[in-house]
């Protein structure tokens, strides 16, 4: 069985966000690009599953929709341990466009597979691509997944619900949309992995014509917050008064 | 034309976020001069359904068959899409929670409807249909236009006020023709803590960070939370260390919350943590380090040792409670 991990290429989460071109564009000047944090956890879990010889996972493919500039991020995923990569050569316009491209590529997949997609991307926070892909492919999808275990062909998934979780059993193919908990610490590429990654296949595929359904018009930065009102450590009572009478929360 | 709102229930009950969503639906339907249709799936008593009429719903469609108690994203998507077609709905609204996030993207594809998730206000115009959402985990906003005739939106929690508008909606039963075999999602077990306040629903949250020094020091955090009727949360290092359960991790990769009050104790305020709490209406920070970044995000701050400040705060809350 194959695990396909959808990769997003996003600004490092500590990036100071700026906009340019009359606030119409994200200013990518000086930005460090990384694997979207949830996708990195998905890849980590995929690696763990492949390494466990009790499972039938024999291949991990990472797939992304992006221009040439995303290749360092893809190489990082290969260095972490993915076996091969696919880059669909296009600027990701909106979630619908991205999911459509992924579906066009995956619809010809013959082997049994599971798709891992992160719950959201840390740039546009869409929370959409994984579930959209499932609908395009007419596959089941399980979302809010915080754990996935395999026993032979049986797959046990923990799906978060309010105040707890459900244990769901699935069999391939399906799409799983994963979140915190699927893996704890993302893997860091080792030197050997980085060397090997150079030789692993990275297939570049042409995009298919698809009109997006949304368009970003302009960006805005949040209003600066008024300065924090400091309260003396010996005067906790004052805080309660402020919360009651000024903030009107209590 | 209509605005269709999927009103999810939890063991037959709606939540405040359901009514926020319905109020939001009413506001959009007023802008579009159309009606609000609510869809409820799974067993809910009519008495509970009628509460939707407090916020301007014109018509309620219910599917009470027990078969639909299990969330199968594929089946639910078909059901909601069919109802949207039947009702000629151009705008379909869901809450931005686990279920909404699972269904809205599928609906977008099925209906070829432009999707915007986690919107925070009513559209600035409906022609063209222009909405606003947060991007970069709260470090910016974007204004988007939905180009398609149909639209799917999910609404962020605690971003739209309840607006009462009494109506007398009719309730219609709808029976889709799915069978058990269509449900590919097999739920084997449900593990649910009952009685515990759910973090993402909580209006007040008390959260602890590494500054608490040890999991044995959580007593005062829990006591303060209990007194306030607040949920407890924590920062990432605390959940990674296993001091607290992962469900409590609040931040970019953990829970993103929007309570009315967030009290951060011993949390320095890394940018990833702030991404998860920046939508809180009011933030209180307690930290020994006056230069900690949390104070830049906070409305009120106390520089001091949590072990000294918390007991005083607990006493002050007790006094406040006895007076009110």
């Amino acid at each position: 069985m194959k695990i396909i991990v959808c990769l997003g290429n996003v600004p490092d989460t500590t990036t100071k966000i700026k906009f340019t071109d009359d606030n119409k564009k994200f200013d990518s000047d000086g930005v460090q690009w990384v694997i979207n944090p949830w996708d990195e956890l998905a890849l980590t879990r995929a690696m763990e599953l492949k390494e466990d010889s009790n499972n039938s996972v024999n291949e991990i493919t990472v797939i992304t929709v992006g221009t040439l500039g995303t290749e360092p991020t893809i190489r990082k995923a290969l260095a972490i341990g993915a076996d091969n990569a696919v880059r669909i050569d296009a600027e990701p316009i909106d979630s619908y466009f991205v999911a459509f491209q992924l579906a066009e590529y995956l619809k010809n997949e013959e082997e049994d597979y599971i798709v891992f997609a992160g719950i959201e991307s840390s740039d546009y926070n869409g929370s959409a691509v994984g579930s959209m892909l499932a609908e395009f492919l007419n596959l089941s999808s399980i979302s809010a997944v915080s754990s996935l275990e395999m026993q032979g062909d049986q797959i046990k998934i923990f799906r978060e619900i309010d105040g707890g979780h459900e244990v769901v059993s699935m069999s391939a193919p399906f799409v799983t949309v994963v979140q915190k908990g699927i893996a704890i610490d993302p893997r860091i590429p080792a030197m050997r992995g980085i060397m090997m990654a150079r030789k692993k296949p990275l297939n570049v595929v042409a995009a298919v014509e698809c009109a997006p359904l949304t368009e970003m018009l302009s960006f805005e930065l949040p209003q600066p917050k008024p300065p924090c009102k400091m309260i003396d450590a010996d005067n906790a009572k004052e805080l309660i008064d402020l919360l009651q009478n000024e903030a009107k929360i209590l | 034309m209509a605005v269709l709102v999927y009103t999810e229930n939890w063991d037959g009950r709606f939540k405040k976020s359901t009514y926020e969503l319905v109020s939001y639906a009413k506001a959009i339907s007023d802008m579009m001069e159309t009606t609000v249709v609510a869809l409820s799936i799974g067993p809910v008593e009519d008495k509970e359904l009628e509460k939707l009429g407090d916020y301007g719903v014109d018509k309620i469609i219910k599917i009470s068959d027990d078969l639909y108690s299990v969330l199968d994203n594929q089946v639910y998507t078909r059901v909601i899409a069919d109802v949207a077609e039947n009702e000629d709905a151009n705008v379909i609204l869901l809450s931005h929670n686990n279920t909404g996030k699972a269904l809205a993207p599928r609906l977008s594809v099925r209906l070829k409807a432009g999707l915007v998730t986690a919107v925070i206000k009513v559209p600035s115009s409906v022609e063209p249909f222009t909405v606003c959402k947060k991007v970069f985990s709260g470090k910016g906003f974007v204004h988007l236009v939905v180009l398609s005739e149909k639209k799917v939106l999910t609404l962020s929690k605690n971003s739209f006020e309840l607006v009462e508008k009494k109506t007398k909606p009719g309730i219609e039963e709808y029976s889709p023709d799915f069978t058990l075999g269509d449900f590919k999602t097999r739920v084997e077990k449900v593990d649910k803590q009952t009685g515990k306040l759910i973090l993402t629903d909580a209006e007040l949250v008390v959260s602890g960070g590494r500054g608490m020094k040890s999991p044995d020091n959580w007593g005062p955090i829990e006591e303060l939370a209990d007194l306030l009727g607040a949920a407890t949360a924590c920062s990432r290092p605390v959940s990674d260390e296993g001091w607290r359960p992962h469900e409590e991790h609040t931040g970019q990769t953990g829970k993103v919350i929007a309570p009315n009050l967030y009290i951060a104790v011993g949390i320095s305020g890394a940018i990833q943590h702030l991404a998860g709490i920046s939508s809180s209406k009011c933030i209180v920070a307690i930290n020994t380090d006056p230069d900690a970044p949390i104070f830049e995000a906070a409305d009120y701050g106390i520089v001091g040792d949590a072990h000294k400040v918390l007991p005083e705060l607990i006493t002050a809350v007790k006094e406040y409670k006895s007076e009110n």
Side-chain angles (χ1 to χ4, degrees), chain A residues 11-17 19 26 37-38 41 95-96 99 119-129 131-136 138-144 154 156 158-170 179-181 184-186 211-223 225-237 239-240 242-244 246-247 249-250, chain B residues 10 15 70-74 77-78 96 98 101-102 105-106 108-110 112-117 130 133-148 184-193 198 200-201 204 228 236 239-240 246-247 249 252-255 260-261 263 271-272 280-284 295-304 309 312-313 316-317 319-320 323-324:
Chain A
D12 181 278
T13 50
T14 57
T15 306
K16 192 166 160 46
I17 302 300
F19 302 109
F26 168 64
W38 293 272
L41 291 174
S95 322
Y96 186 87
I119 186 80
E120 67 176 80
S121 67
S122 61
D123 50 5
Y124 300 113
N125 309 119
S127 305
V129 171
S131 301
M132 280 184 168
L133 173 60
E135 186 66 26
F136 273 123
N138 198 20
L139 291 179
S140 290
S141 60
I142 305 288
S143 191
Q154 270 303 307
K156 211 164 82 172
F158 291 70
R159 164 164 82 174
E160 191 188 75
I161 53 169
D162 281 347
H165 63 258
E166 290 173 341
V167 183
V168 178
S169 74
M170 293 295 290
Q179 62 183 35
K180 168 87 180 179
I184 304 302
D185 282 316
L213 300 181
T214 60
E215 186 189 335
M216 290 193 258
L217 296 177
S218 65
F219 295 97
E220 226 178 279
L221 288 172
Q223 294 294 321
K225 233 182 159 166
C228 180
K229 201 175 257 187
M230 299 309 288
I231 297 143
D232 197 72
D234 302 322
N235 204 358
K237 199 176 174 313
L239 175 64
I240 303 301
L242 287 167
L243 290 177
Q244 188 183 1
E246 191 178 81
I249 283 166
L250 295 181
Chain B
W10 290 263
K15 286 185 183 177
V70 170
L71 173 65
D72 181 282
N73 294 326
Q74 222 169 355
T77 298
R78 286 180 202 165
H96 192 67
N98 285 336
K101 280 189 252 186
R106 295 197 73 127
S108 162
V109 170
R110 189 147 190 102
K112 213 168 184 224
L115 168 71
V116 184
T117 55
T130 313
K133 68 167 289 184
K134 288 186 182 183
V135 285
F136 298 102
S137 307
K139 289 189 274 184
F141 300 94
V142 67
H143 299 271
L144 299 119
V145 59
V146 183
L147 305 165
S148 50
K184 301 280 171 350
T185 307
R186 301 251 176 238
V187 174
E188 316 241 303
K189 206 170 102 188
V190 182
D191 273 329
K192 204 154 130 189
Q193 273 185 308
I198 294 158
T200 45
D201 287 343
L204 310 175
L228 290 168
R236 178 172 174 167
S239 72
D240 281 1
H246 284 294
E247 297 87 72
H249 166 204
Q252 180 152 29
T253 50
K255 296 266 181 333
N260 289 332
L261 174 65
I263 303 179
I271 200 161
Q272 293 89 343
S280 307
K281 297 259 155 78
C282 177
I283 298 174
V284 172
F295 289 116
E296 280 165 42
D299 299 281
Y300 302 107
I302 297 178
V303 176
V309 177
E312 284 194 35
L313 205 51
V317 173
E319 270 174 39
Y320 159 78
E323 285 163 15
N324 289 273

Side-chain angles (χ1 to χ4, degrees), chain A residues 6-228:
Chain A
C6 301
L7 278 196
N9 179 55
V10 297
D12 181 278
T13 50
T14 57
T15 306
K16 192 166 160 46
I17 302 300
K18 296 183 301 259
F19 302 109
T20 172
D21 214 16
D22 214 13
N23 282 333
K24 286 198 171 62
K25 270 200 185 123
F26 168 64
D27 185 356
S28 58
D29 194 35
V31 168
Q32 183 87 27
W33 297 91
V34 298
I35 304 175
N36 178 44
W38 293 272
D39 304 345
E40 202 177 20
L41 291 174
L43 175 60
T44 303
R45 184 62 190 145
M47 291 297 305
E48 291 166 359
L49 291 168
K50 190 188 161 195
E51 284 158 6
D52 184 342
S53 56
N54 296 317
N55 300 326
S56 55
V57 179
N58 52 14
E59 190 181 338
I60 297 171
T61 299
V62 290
I63 184 164
T64 197
V65 177
T67 52
L68 186 65
T70 63
E71 289 202 356
T73 300
I74 302 170
R75 288 284 171 205
K76 189 184 167 196
L78 291 171
I80 289 170
D83 297 293
N84 50 61
V86 178
R87 176 171 73 82
I88 299 167
D89 188 25
E91 190 71 53
I93 315 172
D94 73 349
S95 322
Y96 186 87
F97 175 90
V98 171
F100 180 81
Q101 300 302 332
L102 296 174
E104 281 298 303
Y105 181 82
L106 291 174
K107 71 180 185 191
N108 301 318
E109 189 66 48
E110 277 168 7
E111 204 184 336
D112 256 354
Y113 64 92
I114 312 174
V115 176
F116 281 23
I119 186 80
E120 67 176 80
S121 67
S122 61
D123 50 5
Y124 300 113
N125 309 119
S127 305
V129 171
S131 301
M132 280 184 168
L133 173 60
E135 186 66 26
F136 273 123
L137 293 171
N138 198 20
L139 291 179
S140 290
S141 60
I142 305 288
S143 191
V145 171
S146 58
S147 174
L148 185 147
E149 288 163 13
M150 275 183 180
Q151 281 145 351
D153 286 341
Q154 270 303 307
I155 299 158
K156 211 164 82 172
I157 294 173
F158 291 70
R159 164 164 82 174
E160 191 188 75
I161 53 169
D162 281 347
H165 63 258
E166 290 173 341
V167 183
V168 178
S169 74
M170 293 295 290
S171 44
F174 63 91
V175 175
T176 167
V177 180
V178 306
Q179 62 183 35
K180 168 87 180 179
I182 189 76
I184 304 302
D185 282 316
R187 288 207 184 174
I188 298 159
M191 188 45 87
R192 195 175 121 82
I194 295 168
M195 302 296 284
M196 279 166 63
R198 290 184 195 157
K199 292 187 191 122
K200 287 181 179 172
L202 194 171
N203 306 319
V204 180
V205 180
V208 180
E209 182 79 28
C210 169
L213 300 181
T214 60
E215 186 189 335
M216 290 193 258
L217 296 177
S218 65
F219 295 97
E220 226 178 279
L221 288 172
Q223 294 294 321
K225 233 182 159 166
C228 180

Side-chain angles (χ1 to χ4, degrees), chain B residues 209-285:
Chain B
R210 205 157 26 180
M212 295 304 294
K213 300 217 169 70
S214 152
D216 305 331
N217 295 336
W218 243 260
I221 297 245
E222 284 177 332
E223 190 182 350
L224 181 61
D226 263 355
L227 278 169
L228 290 168
T232 51
C234 70
S235 66
R236 178 172 174 167
V238 167
S239 72
D240 281 1
E241 289 289 334
W243 292 3
R244 300 295 294 178
H246 284 294
E247 297 87 72
E248 285 198 1
H249 166 204
T250 303
Q252 180 152 29
T253 50
K255 296 266 181 333
V256 175
I257 57 172
N260 289 332
L261 174 65
Y262 182 77
I263 303 179
V265 190
I267 294 177
S268 64
I271 200 161
Q272 293 89 343
H273 186 74
L274 299 181
I277 63 155
S278 62
S279 296
S280 307
K281 297 259 155 78
C282 177
I283 298 174
V284 172

